[in-house]
Every structure is written in C-alpha cells, then in structure tokens.
Amino acid sequence: MVKGFVAGFLVGVLLLVGGVYYYFASGMAPAAAGDPPMPFEEKLANKSLNAHINKANVPPPAIPANEETFVAGAKVYKEHCAGCHGLPDQPPPAIANHMYPHATLMFRGRGVTDDPPEESYWKAVNGVRLTGMPSFKNVLTDTQLWQVCQLVAHASEISDSVKKELTPEPAPATQPLAPSPARAVASKQE
Ligand code: HEC
C-alpha cells in the first residue's frame, strides 16, 4: 500500500519534471520579446523581485526630495534612462514598447510614483534580471542613483525648470552642403 503510493508519487514527479522539460526543450515556452507571457510568469517574477527588495532592507533616501535633487536627477535621467523610459511630453522611445517586459514610461500615467524611492533605487542599482533593465551599480555614483530615483518617484510633481532640463536638445542646424567636385561633374553630364 505504502509502496504503491510512493511509486505513484515518483511517477507523478517524473511526469511533471518531464512535462516542464518538454515545454522548454520543444520550443513551446516563449522566447521572443513579442511572445505572450508564460503561465504565472509575471506573478512569479514579481514575487521573487519583491522578496529580494524586502530582504535588502534599503535604507531611506540619502538625499532629500527637493528642487536641487530633481534638477540633478534630471541630468542623470536624460543621459542614462530616457532612451528606454521616455521624457515628459514626448512620444515614447521607439524601443520602449518592443521589450518584454515593456520599459515603464516614467512621465506618463503613474510611472513609478506609487513606488517608494527605495524600491526604484534597488532596481536601478541591481537591474532586473531577464528584462532590459540594466544595473547602474558601477555606472552612476550613489548620489546620482538617489537623485534619479527621487526624480522618478516624484515625476508627477516636477517644476518647469526640471521639465526644461528634461527637454530633448533641438537637432543641430544643418549647413547647406557646398557643391562637391563630383556633383559638379555629375550635373554637367545631365
Ligand atoms: C535599455 C533600457 C533601459 C534603460 C537604459 C533603463 N531602464 Fe529601467 N527598465 C527597463 C525595463 C525594460 C524595465 C521593466 C522591468 C520590469 O517590468 O520588471 C525597467 C524598469 C525600471 C524600473 C521599475 C519600473 C516599474 O514599473 O516597476 C525603474 C524604477 C527603472 N527601470 C529605473 C531606471 C533608471 C533610474 C534608469 C537610468 C539610470 C533606467 N531605468 C534605465 C529598461 C531600461
């Protein structure tokens, strides 16, 4: 009786492991950015991410949420984050919606204003595995990381001068091209 139960249990486990292996090995599991998510993928990934962040016990922001911080954060953001996370009043970057998961648009809708800056700090420092979100641990200083995380946490309350800092540079004026000798020859032949 016990033997039968153990044998049944082992067969069940083997079938499960085999099934999961087959799901991945046969190419049924999603691999492209445009594929729909795996069953439970988002739930499990978010659970694991939240558990890591809770365990990390990130200390409260080392710098205050004020105008000076937001202006400094805007400079960091424009250079390192805007290419994926977008700028205020601008169309989303071409790649933002073509990643899986999508890069959150920080200046549209809620962005991450409903997350404490500590949570965004953890993500910016460590990156998010199996997403396009890189780790900025050895790219930005701790001060810069807090500045940019205070900015995105307060993205809906920024002043005009912070917005100005986040405006894309106008394209450089193009100089009219001097006619090149090759062109002069080409036009002579016409
Ligand atoms: C190459 C593209 C890319 C760059 C550059 C990038 N990110 Fe991200 N980021 C992503 C993607 C993709 C996600 C989505 C991850 C997810 O949904 O779990 C993300 C997620 C985040 C999140 C969590 C968003 C949420 O909805 O919970 C924060 C905060 C964040 N990034 C901050 C930053 C900051 C700050 C910078 C600049 C210092 C930055 N990112 C630069 C691609 C990028």
Side-chain angles (χ1 to χ4, degrees):
M1 174 77 188
V2 176
K3 256 189 189 163
F5 176 76
V6 171
F9 180 75
L10 283 179
V11 169
V13 169
L14 280 177
L15 279 176
L16 187 71
V17 172
V20 171
Y21 178 78
Y22 180 75
Y23 177 68
F24 284 96
S26 67
M28 279 162 78
D35 286 345
M38 267 186 285
F40 309 116
E41 181 175 342
E42 266 169 62
K43 258 211 172 93
L44 290 176
N46 283 338
K47 256 217 152 48
S48 162
L49 184 60
N50 291 339
H52 272 283
I53 296 174
N54 285 341
K55 237 197 312 197
N57 244 334
V58 179
I63 51 163
N66 59 25
E67 182 72 6
E68 197 188 331
T69 298
F70 299 155
V71 170
K75 292 194 175 123
V76 177
Y77 182 89
K78 204 166 146 185
E79 186 173 347
H80 296 277
C81 322
C84 291
H85 290 293
L87 289 167
D89 307 324
Q90 295 295 321
I95 56 174
N97 290 335
H98 299 285
M99 300 183 172
Y100 184 85
H102 294 173
T104 310
L105 295 175
M106 300 297 187
F107 295 93
R108 285 226 182 159
R110 275 179 303 160
V112 292
T113 55
D114 51 350
D115 290 341
E118 291 89 333
E119 182 175 332
S120 296
Y121 173 87
W122 188 95
K123 291 175 180 171
V125 170
N126 297 289
V128 184
R129 197 177 173 84
L130 297 183
T131 78
M133 176 60 192
S135 154
F136 288 91
K137 199 183 325 199
N138 297 317
V139 178
L140 299 174
T141 64
D142 205 51
T143 305
Q144 288 176 313
L145 282 160
W146 277 118
Q147 286 165 337
V148 75
C149 290
Q150 287 285 31
L151 170 74
V152 291
H154 296 86
S156 52
E157 312 158 29
I158 54 170
S159 68
D160 284 345
S161 43
V162 177
K163 238 185 196 170
K164 208 165 142 218
E165 205 58 66
L166 290 167
T167 308
E169 317 293 341
T174 43
Q175 299 283 337
L177 284 174
S180 66
R183 261 204 236 153
V185 171
S187 58
K188 251 187 222 155
Q189 285 171 348
E190 268 164 24

